[in-house]
Amino acid sequence: MFHGSGLFAVLLMVLEWTRPGLSSPLRPICDLRVLDHFIKEAWDAEAAMRACKDACSIATNFTVPLTRVDFDVWEAMNIEEKAQEVQSGLHVLNEAIGSLQASNQSYVLQSHVDASISNIASIRQVLRSVSIPEYVPPASGGEDEETQKVSSISELFQVHSNFLRGKVRHLLASAPVCKQGVS
Amino acid sequence: MAKMRSDRLKIVFVLCLAFVSIGGQHFESKVAQLLRDESEDIKCFVEVKDLTCFWEEERNSLPDQYTFTYSYENKIKDCVVSSLSLLASNKTVFFCKLPKTPFFTTLDVKVSRDRRMLYSRSLNAENFMFLDPPRNLTVLSSGKEGQLNVSWLPPLLKYMDDSMIYEVRYAEEGSNMGKVEVIKVSTMLVLLGLQSDTRYKVWVRVKPDGVAYKGYWSAWTEPVLGVTQPSELDPLIMLLVLFIGLILCLLSMTVILSHQKFLLKKLWPDIPTPERKFPGLFTVYKGDFKEWMSQNNSSMWGRSVHVFTEELPSPLEVLSEVSLSSHGTSQREERKPVEEDEEKESERSDSGLPDRWREPPQAHWLMEQLRTLQENPQPLSQSLLPQSHDTYVTLNQNSQGDGVREVDDVFEETLPLQTLFTTAGTPSLNTSHSDLGSLQQSSGSGRLSSQSSFEYPNHTWPPKGPGYAYMAVADSGVSMDYSPMSSSRIVELGRHRMYTNDYKNEIFLHKWPLSGEHTKSGSDFCMGPIW
């Protein structure tokens, strides 16, 4: 009896300390300067890849998300649609860039690849903090409409930069949680 | 009712025209500016939401000849080409305004004419933002000196409020030299370091910050005038200055009071009184020195030495005492040896006889002699020649020019001189009369010669001993030497400006028989010029 209660107490303490399971809700990050930091790094990667032509050329196709933002169309969409578009696009982008990690590339390319992967993960955290719904894998057959093909690494990083500056940023700017505090 | 409707329609139409014209002005100005600054063939910019691309062509062309296409994300679309005539530069441009501009994606733009591609360009629309200038610029003077509060509103644009960067330019009214301040996001700025009571012009322009959107600088706003406040004395500084001044005053007062006595002594020294040396003189005897002396005679005598002045006693040597039986008095004369150097000017005028000279009691006898001489004047030259080496007198500088002046004292000098020489010719030197006469004359001449003043205060003829009939008196100025001389010295009245009063008296020879032996040698010591 005594041993059981003691073990139970120790277990509680350990669990409390590690806190497994769902993480506690994050404080909303509405400041766009956080996202601007990632965007600036994406700019640097794009510029570096544009400059690096020979060492960074890979004869493979990448599936990347669409980055176009039509303001009229965008304004007409609701938050869930926007969220879905952004989250799926981040997913696709993550996979495309992540495919470069496996291959042995130059140090410059590897550093930018790693930075981009890390940034995408951080952006997901930021979106989570403002209560943007998580990515839900769509039913099969819906991916092709929202993706495109690129054939070079420089184009890949260009898409990466455009996506962050466009859709992700406008989604964050229009997050309801952030707008509630302002108004 | 119909009338009201028509009126409303008219108003709306006018407003639309106005709006379009204003917008058109902005559009035209932007086109004109890019036409000037941009080097690409196809110049593009985004105004509000739509991308406009234009190019310059010959005037004869028509818009219909051109085909404008743009493609993105594997889609190709066409755009209607229009023409625009710029009045300012007298140029014509063809442009196309994309109806639904896709942002954040790569656009490929192509212009072709007659199916022949003229220009092409690949760009992202969000990188060519050309904003309108900021609105409602206001400049107000802040409460502080040399500051101005500048505030404005961003241009009307929906998604870019937090990603704009502003440039504020300000300059003194009438001056072309302006300063520029860059400010991010915020729409107000405080200008610092301005001159007080001065009018300033302020301009503002805007541009995307370059993170999410990029673009060109907007046009400057219209200048707005602001006046800075006139300079005032900061009350805090005044208070501090007063406070520090007060503290300094207190410190100085404290120092002065603590060293009051010392300072008073330095600034206002006490007049020394001899009370200390004369105890009781002023208190007991009330200044009656006689009484005090009589009382303190014995005790004070020793101290009297200290009371006297610090002057050293001048050695006084009586050369001769002649008892004049006829005149009954022996005189004790003070004679000052006079020396003179030819090199030094003795231009000091005769200031008259020194007061110490006593009136010779034989003055009336002297006058008789003078009268005798006057009746029988002898040439001076003869008289001046030294007929005897014993007695001669050099006269002072007043005897100048032709010789005898009309000055009485000079005349007096000459007459006794003659008398002297006449008496010197007699072999006998023991005549009291001659001696007396010479003495008298010598006294007179000595007196007279004493008129000459010489500037050798420190140069005294040292007494050479009893054999030398001279007298040395060390005092402030005049010194006379009566050393007997044997060498011939020419002395002429009035001939030379400088004279040596080398007086040689027979009496001295008589008095000191040894002096005759010494005369020759004594003459060696004679000072003065040798002509």
Side-chain angles (χ1 to χ4, degrees):
Chain A
M1 195 73 171
F2 180 74
H3 288 289
S5 61
L7 276 172
F8 183 68
V10 169
L11 191 65
L12 270 178
M13 279 158 49
V14 169
L15 284 173
E16 186 60 36
W17 177 59
T18 55
R19 289 196 185 185
L22 287 173
S23 54
S24 53
L26 295 168
R27 197 170 54 184
I29 303 170
C30 292
D31 195 351
L32 287 171
R33 287 178 293 180
V34 176
L35 189 61
D36 286 347
H37 171 71
F38 302 130
I39 290 168
K40 284 177 188 173
E41 289 198 354
W43 273 116
D44 294 340
E46 182 187 345
M49 291 307 112
R50 205 182 300 124
C52 149
K53 288 173 184 177
D54 298 330
C56 308
S57 62
I58 289 180
T60 51
N61 289 336
F62 299 100
T63 303
V64 291
L66 295 173
T67 59
R68 182 184 86 250
V69 173
D70 291 326
F71 283 112
D72 298 333
V73 175
W74 185 263
E75 283 168 16
M77 291 164 68
N78 57 17
I79 191 68
E80 288 81 15
E81 291 171 334
K82 290 177 187 176
Q84 179 63 24
E85 199 166 319
V86 167
Q87 294 284 18
S88 64
L90 281 174
H91 173 76
V92 170
L93 200 59
N94 199 36
E95 284 189 356
I97 295 174
S99 68
L100 287 172
Q101 274 183 324
S103 58
N104 292 329
Q105 297 296 329
S106 63
Y107 174 74
V108 172
L109 177 60
Q110 280 299 324
S111 65
H112 283 294
V113 165
D114 294 338
S116 299
I117 297 292
S118 167
N119 289 347
I120 288 170
S122 303
I123 289 165
R124 281 179 173 158
Q125 291 287 333
V126 170
L127 291 175
R128 192 181 296 133
S129 74
V130 294
S131 308
I132 296 294
E134 292 279 340
Y135 166 68
V136 175
S140 58
E143 292 180 12
D144 293 334
E145 293 175 5
E146 299 296 324
T147 60
Q148 58 180 334
K149 299 277 187 196
V150 291
S151 58
S152 67
I153 293 176
S154 65
E155 278 181 310
L156 170 64
F157 279 94
Q158 194 177 7
V159 164
H160 170 241
S161 161
N162 289 339
F163 190 75
L164 294 184
R165 286 159 61 205
K167 288 183 177 178
V168 177
R169 197 170 192 276
H170 285 88
L171 175 65
L172 192 59
S174 60
V177 174
C178 298
K179 282 193 173 178
Q180 284 173 12
V182 172
S183 61
Chain B
M1 280 295 284
K3 229 184 181 182
M4 280 178 68
R5 270 188 201 169
S6 66
D7 288 338
R8 280 180 195 171
L9 279 170
K10 281 179 188 174
I11 290 166
V12 169
F13 181 67
V14 166
L15 282 172
C16 283
L17 267 178
F19 190 73
V20 166
S21 66
I22 290 167
Q25 279 181 0
H26 276 291
F27 182 77
E28 267 196 50
S29 63
K30 288 175 184 175
V31 168
Q33 184 177 334
L34 280 180
L35 205 63
R36 235 180 6 248
D37 301 338
E38 186 63 59
S39 59
E40 293 274 349
D41 295 324
I42 300 175
K43 305 169 210 307
C44 300
F45 64 94
V46 173
E47 192 185 26
V48 185
K49 273 185 187 179
D50 300 321
L51 179 71
T52 303
C53 291
F54 65 92
W55 63 98
E56 193 182 357
E57 276 296 334
E58 297 162 5
R59 275 190 114 175
N60 300 330
S61 311
L62 291 171
D64 299 334
Q65 297 173 342
Y66 295 95
T67 311
F68 187 93
T69 58
Y70 62 99
S71 61
Y72 63 95
E73 293 178 351
N74 303 324
K75 295 171 190 175
I76 300 174
K77 290 189 177 179
D78 288 333
C79 178
V80 177
V81 178
S82 309
S83 69
L84 175 69
S85 297
L86 298 172
L87 301 170
S89 54
N90 199 19
K91 289 179 181 177
T92 306
V93 294
F94 295 98
F95 69 96
C96 178
K97 199 166 184 181
L98 277 62
K100 288 183 181 180
T101 307
F103 285 90
F104 302 103
T105 186
T106 306
L107 290 171
D108 293 315
V109 174
K110 284 177 188 169
V111 174
S112 42
R113 185 169 71 175
D114 301 331
R115 295 188 182 181
R116 191 166 49 90
M117 195 186 76
L118 287 175
Y119 316 113
S120 69
R121 193 177 176 185
S122 180
L123 58 103
N124 275 37
E126 69 276 6
N127 294 339
F128 293 91
M129 307 299 295
F130 201 148
L131 304 170
D132 290 337
R135 301 170 291 131
N136 287 19
L137 175 61
T138 53
V139 179
L140 300 169
S141 69
S142 66
K144 295 181 183 179
E145 189 183 331
Q147 289 184 10
L148 280 176
N149 282 345
V150 184
S151 64
W152 60 91
L153 290 177
L156 282 171
L157 208 62
K158 207 168 180 180
Y159 301 105
M160 294 175 58
D161 286 359
D162 53 355
S163 58
M164 290 189 191
I165 186 169
Y166 302 95
E167 210 176 56
V168 178
R169 182 162 69 104
Y170 59 98
E172 282 182 45
E173 192 183 21
S175 165
N176 291 331
M177 299 290 293
K179 286 186 184 177
V180 167
E181 294 274 350
V182 176
I183 182 164
K184 288 185 180 179
V185 182
S186 174
T187 57
M188 61 174 292
L189 178 68
V190 178
L191 296 173
L192 303 170
L194 304 175
Q195 292 181 11
S196 53
D197 201 18
T198 314
R199 289 166 72 87
Y200 281 91
K201 275 187 184 176
V202 184
W203 298 262
V204 184
R205 65 178 183 179
V206 66
K207 193 181 86 162
D209 63 352
V211 179
Y213 293 94
K214 292 182 180 178
Y216 303 102
W217 277 111
S218 72
W220 291 105
T221 56
E222 288 298 316
V224 174
L225 283 170
V227 186
T228 49
Q229 267 195 343
S231 62
E232 289 173 4
L233 281 173
D234 196 1
L236 180 65
I237 290 170
M238 289 279 291
L239 272 173
L240 281 171
V241 165
L242 280 169
F243 192 62
I244 288 165
L246 199 66
I247 288 171
L248 284 171
C249 281
L250 283 170
L251 278 172
S252 57
M253 288 273 291
T254 313
V255 166
I256 287 167
L257 286 171
S258 62
H259 297 89
Q260 191 181 13
K261 285 183 184 175
F262 176 73
L263 286 170
L264 270 175
K265 207 176 170 183
K266 285 287 173 188
L267 291 171
W268 200 275
D270 293 334
I271 298 167
T273 57
E275 276 190 39
R276 263 194 313 138
K277 304 292 181 187
F278 302 94
L281 172 60
F282 295 103
T283 53
V284 178
Y285 299 98
K286 294 184 183 159
D288 193 349
F289 194 73
K290 273 188 184 172
E291 286 286 326
W292 180 81
M293 277 296 292
S294 61
Q295 291 292 325
N296 300 319
N297 198 1
S298 58
S299 61
M300 285 300 109
W301 191 246
R303 286 196 222 172
S304 62
V305 179
H306 304 286
V307 178
F308 296 147
T309 56
E310 296 172 356
E311 281 185 9
L312 294 172
S314 43
L316 190 65
E317 187 177 329
V318 178
L319 290 178
S320 66
E321 278 191 18
V322 177
S323 62
L324 303 163
S325 59
S326 59
H327 302 285
T329 52
S330 64
Q331 300 178 28
R332 186 179 168 215
E333 296 170 350
E334 291 181 24
R335 300 184 187 182
K336 301 176 186 178
V338 179
E339 287 183 349
E340 192 176 40
D341 192 3
E342 64 172 355
E343 295 172 355
K344 302 231 174 172
E345 293 181 349
S346 57
E347 290 290 338
R348 277 171 61 182
S349 58
D350 290 351
S351 54
L353 302 173
D355 293 334
R356 284 188 241 178
W357 286 102
R358 300 179 199 169
E359 273 296 322
Q362 295 83 10
H364 65 276
W365 178 86
L366 186 64
M367 291 308 293
E368 283 178 17
Q369 291 293 324
L370 289 173
R371 257 185 250 113
T372 314
L373 278 170
Q374 198 172 8
E375 288 166 11
N376 302 318
Q378 291 181 15
L380 287 170
S381 57
Q382 283 185 356
S383 61
L384 287 172
L385 284 173
Q387 296 166 2
S388 156
H389 59 270
D390 294 330
T391 311
Y392 55 87
V393 168
T394 62
L395 297 178
N396 58 14
Q397 70 272 15
N398 269 355
S399 316
Q400 296 181 16
D402 296 333
V404 181
R405 274 190 188 174
E406 293 177 0
V407 184
D408 289 339
D409 53 353
V410 176
F411 182 70
E412 285 176 357
E413 286 178 359
T414 57
L415 295 175
L417 188 67
Q418 294 173 6
T419 310
L420 267 172
F421 281 129
T422 50
T423 54
T426 56
S428 164
L429 303 173
N430 294 329
T431 331
S432 65
H433 269 286
S434 65
D435 288 345
L436 181 63
S438 64
L439 175 66
Q440 292 304 314
Q441 285 148 18
S442 70
S443 71
S445 59
R447 175 172 64 87
L448 290 165
S449 57
S450 72
Q451 289 175 7
S452 60
S453 53
F454 302 93
E455 301 169 356
Y456 287 95
N458 299 322
H459 183 39
T460 60
W461 194 251
K464 294 291 194 295
Y468 290 90
Y470 62 84
M471 182 169 64
V473 175
D475 66 354
S476 59
V478 183
S479 61
M480 289 168 62
D481 192 343
Y482 293 91
S483 59
M485 292 183 186
S486 60
S487 62
S488 61
R489 287 200 179 201
I490 298 170
V491 174
E492 289 183 2
L493 268 176
R495 186 177 164 183
H496 299 281
R497 293 182 72 187
M498 299 187 188
Y499 296 89
T500 52
N501 281 358
D502 303 330
Y503 174 70
K504 199 169 169 185
N505 200 342
E506 293 176 44
I507 293 171
F508 303 142
L509 295 172
H510 169 70
K511 268 280 186 181
W512 291 279
L514 292 174
S515 65
E517 299 172 5
H518 290 272
T519 49
K520 285 184 185 175
S521 60
S523 65
D524 298 336
F525 295 92
C526 285
M527 57 288 159
I530 299 173
W531 291 282

